């Protein structure tokens, strides 16, 4: 771990989050620069929303109220309500809703608001005291501003595919990684009962799914990719590996700081996979959300229609 020093970097924001702590809300942004990954921590921000200047609650609300020079689209003066935590904001929003008091921008996430107010949508320039820890530059409350320069060439993209059996067995995991437009890594981890020899591109395991998955996880942590892509990679591959790891009592520590892979299903039935500090893109959902339409979303069907 290096000592703190003033540092300036340029990069791309990949992931963001906020958490409430007893001392207040903390914003976290993880990105990639030409000098490697970085994390920005802000513990000096307060979540807020707006209400009409002539509005007031019957209850004693724990917040800081400020008169602002802002107006609604209809020209109504507004005040800002500033809170210690996002939870306090959400509780107050509900109280005001029950009292029939309109709020403005109370549904915007604090991490989104932080970026929007600084016109940061991808690229960012950072200046502040930094500490190098486990290969990641860590800043606390630095100065940030938007960066228009394209730095997408700094990103590494990992493509994942698995093969499974009808009995729920894991047969193989394949991973290919592209950096700066070139293939930098490719390997298959495979169960093999025929005694084949392993090589740099193929690692064989006689019977153990656990050994296969642990070996893959070690390689993943060393490769440290920025993006993970694949066909139905969220809907199937990551969920399968998540459940398989649980059955084998393995923690898939795939996040930037060794956080566990997190998979869950929403009430609407959509599957979500989160790898802290990385971007996961499912090919099927990427096409659907960009209004592509096919007779079905099988890989063969889409490949034939798009690539012939």
């Amino acid at each position: 771990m290096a000592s703190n020093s003033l540092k300036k970097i340029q990069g791309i924001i990949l992931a963001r989050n906020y958490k409430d702590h007893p001392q207040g809300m903390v914003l976290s942004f993880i990105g990639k620069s030409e000098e490697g990954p970085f994390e920005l921590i802000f513990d000096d921000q307060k979540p807020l929303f707006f209400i009409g200047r002539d509005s007031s609650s019957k209850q004693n609300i724990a917040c800081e109220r400020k008169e602002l020079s802002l107006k609604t689209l209809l020209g109504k003066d507004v005040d800002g309500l500033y809170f210690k935590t996002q939870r306090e904001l959400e509780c107050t929003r509900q109280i005001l809703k029950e009292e029939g008091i309109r709020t403005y921008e109370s549904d915007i996430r604090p991490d989104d608001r932080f970026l929007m107010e600084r016109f940061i949508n991808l690229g960012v320039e950072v200046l502040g005291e930094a500490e190098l820890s486990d290969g990641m530059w860590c800043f606390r409350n630095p100065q940030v501003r938007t960066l228009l320069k394209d730095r997408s060439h700094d990103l590494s993209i990992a493509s994942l595919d698995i093969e499974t059996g009808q009995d729920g067995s894991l047969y193989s995991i394949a991973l290919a990684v592209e950096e700066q437009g070139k293939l930098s890594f490719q390997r298959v981890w495979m169960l093999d009962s025929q005694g084949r020899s392993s090589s740099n591109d193929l690692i064989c395991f006689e019977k153990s799914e656990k050994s296969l998955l642990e070996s893959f996880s070690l390689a993943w942590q060393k490769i440290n990719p920025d993006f993970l892509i694949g066909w139905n990679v969220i809907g199937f591959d990551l969920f399968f590996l998540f459940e398989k790891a649980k059955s084998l009592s393995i923690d898939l520590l795939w996040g930037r700081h060794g956080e566990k892979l997190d998979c869950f299903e929403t009430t609407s039935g959509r599957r979500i996979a989160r790898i802290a500090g990385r971007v996961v893109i499912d090919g099927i959902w990427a096409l659907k959300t960009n209004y592509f339409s096919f007779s079905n979303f099988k890989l063969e069907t889409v490949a034939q229609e798009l690539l012939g």
Side-chain angles (χ1 to χ4, degrees):
M1 181 179 292
S3 60
N4 287 12
S5 60
L6 187 64
K7 188 169 184 63
K8 182 178 181 180
I9 61 170
Q10 296 180 343
I12 293 176
I13 297 291
L14 297 175
R16 59 190 187 275
N17 198 10
Y18 68 87
K19 287 185 178 180
D20 284 339
H21 295 275
Q23 66 272 23
M25 182 194 67
V26 176
L27 300 178
S28 171
F29 302 89
I30 292 180
K32 180 70 175 291
S33 74
E34 60 184 1
E35 298 184 47
F38 62 85
E39 182 175 26
L40 313 178
I41 300 294
F42 297 91
D43 55 16
D44 58 353
Q45 303 294 311
K46 292 183 177 181
L48 77 146
F49 62 75
F50 310 96
I51 64 171
R53 185 157 298 160
D54 57 357
S55 300
S56 61
S57 173
K58 298 176 183 178
Q59 301 190 42
N60 185 21
I61 295 175
C63 71
E64 179 183 3
R65 183 166 181 166
K66 292 183 180 179
E67 286 193 9
L68 304 173
S69 60
L70 301 176
K71 299 179 182 292
T72 68
L73 293 176
L74 298 178
K76 183 178 181 179
D77 292 324
V78 298
D79 290 346
L81 300 188
Y82 296 79
F83 301 88
K84 184 178 179 181
T85 65
Q86 182 67 11
R87 180 176 177 80
E88 289 179 356
L89 180 151
E90 292 170 357
C91 290
T92 301
R93 177 178 60 191
Q94 184 61 32
I95 290 172
L96 296 180
K97 180 180 179 180
E98 292 172 356
E99 293 183 5
I101 298 175
R102 182 172 182 180
T103 62
Y104 301 92
E105 298 188 4
S106 61
D107 59 340
I108 297 179
R109 287 171 53 104
D111 45 344
D112 287 340
R113 180 184 296 281
F114 181 91
L115 296 177
M116 291 163 56
E117 289 180 345
R118 292 158 180 79
F119 304 99
I120 298 171
N121 54 27
L122 184 62
V124 63
E125 184 174 271
V126 184
L127 175 64
E129 295 287 330
E131 180 181 75
L132 184 61
S133 177
D134 295 327
M136 177 179 287
W137 287 104
C138 300
F139 295 79
R140 185 170 292 273
N141 301 318
Q143 299 176 36
V144 294
R145 68 176 185 177
T146 187
L147 179 69
L148 300 179
K149 184 178 179 181
D150 181 13
R151 304 214 63 93
S152 58
H153 60 275
D154 293 330
L155 303 176
S156 59
I157 303 173
S159 178
L160 175 75
D161 186 39
I162 68 174
E163 297 297 334
T164 64
Q166 293 183 350
D167 61 352
S169 299
L170 173 63
Y171 288 159
S172 67
I173 304 175
L175 189 72
V177 181
E178 179 183 287
E179 295 181 273
Q180 298 185 344
K182 296 181 180 180
L183 184 68
S184 61
F185 179 91
Q186 60 179 355
R187 183 172 295 168
V188 176
W189 291 258
M190 183 178 71
L191 288 186
D192 175 45
S193 59
Q194 300 180 14
R196 294 178 183 147
S197 298
S198 296
S199 64
N200 188 52
D201 294 338
L202 175 66
I203 300 181
C204 297
F205 301 86
E206 185 174 352
K207 294 180 180 180
S208 176
E209 293 174 304
K210 184 173 184 178
S211 296
L212 187 159
L213 198 47
E214 288 177 335
S215 176
F216 172 82
S217 291
L218 286 174
W220 170 274
Q221 292 162 3
K222 292 179 181 179
I223 296 167
N224 199 20
D226 304 310
F227 280 74
L228 175 63
I229 64 173
W231 196 256
N232 206 20
V233 69
I234 295 175
F236 180 74
D237 299 61
L238 290 180
F239 258 76
F240 182 95
L241 295 176
F242 179 75
E243 295 297 332
K244 177 62 69 173
K246 284 201 298 184
S247 70
L248 297 172
S249 299
I250 300 174
D251 289 330
L252 301 182
L253 307 179
W254 293 0
R256 288 285 190 187
H257 288 302
E259 300 92 339
K260 296 179 184 178
L261 167 68
D262 183 26
C263 294
F264 60 93
E265 196 167 301
T266 66
T267 54
S268 63
R270 182 177 177 184
R271 289 185 164 184
I272 305 293
R274 291 176 177 165
I275 306 177
R278 310 187 199 279
V279 180
V280 183
I281 299 178
D282 190 304
I284 293 178
W285 278 102
L287 290 175
K288 286 184 175 180
T289 54
N290 282 280
Y291 306 105
F292 283 85
S293 179
F294 304 93
S295 57
N296 62 64
F297 276 85
K298 294 180 179 179
L299 182 56
E300 177 66 20
T301 302
V302 176
Q304 288 295 337
E305 292 196 37
L306 292 182
L307 305 176

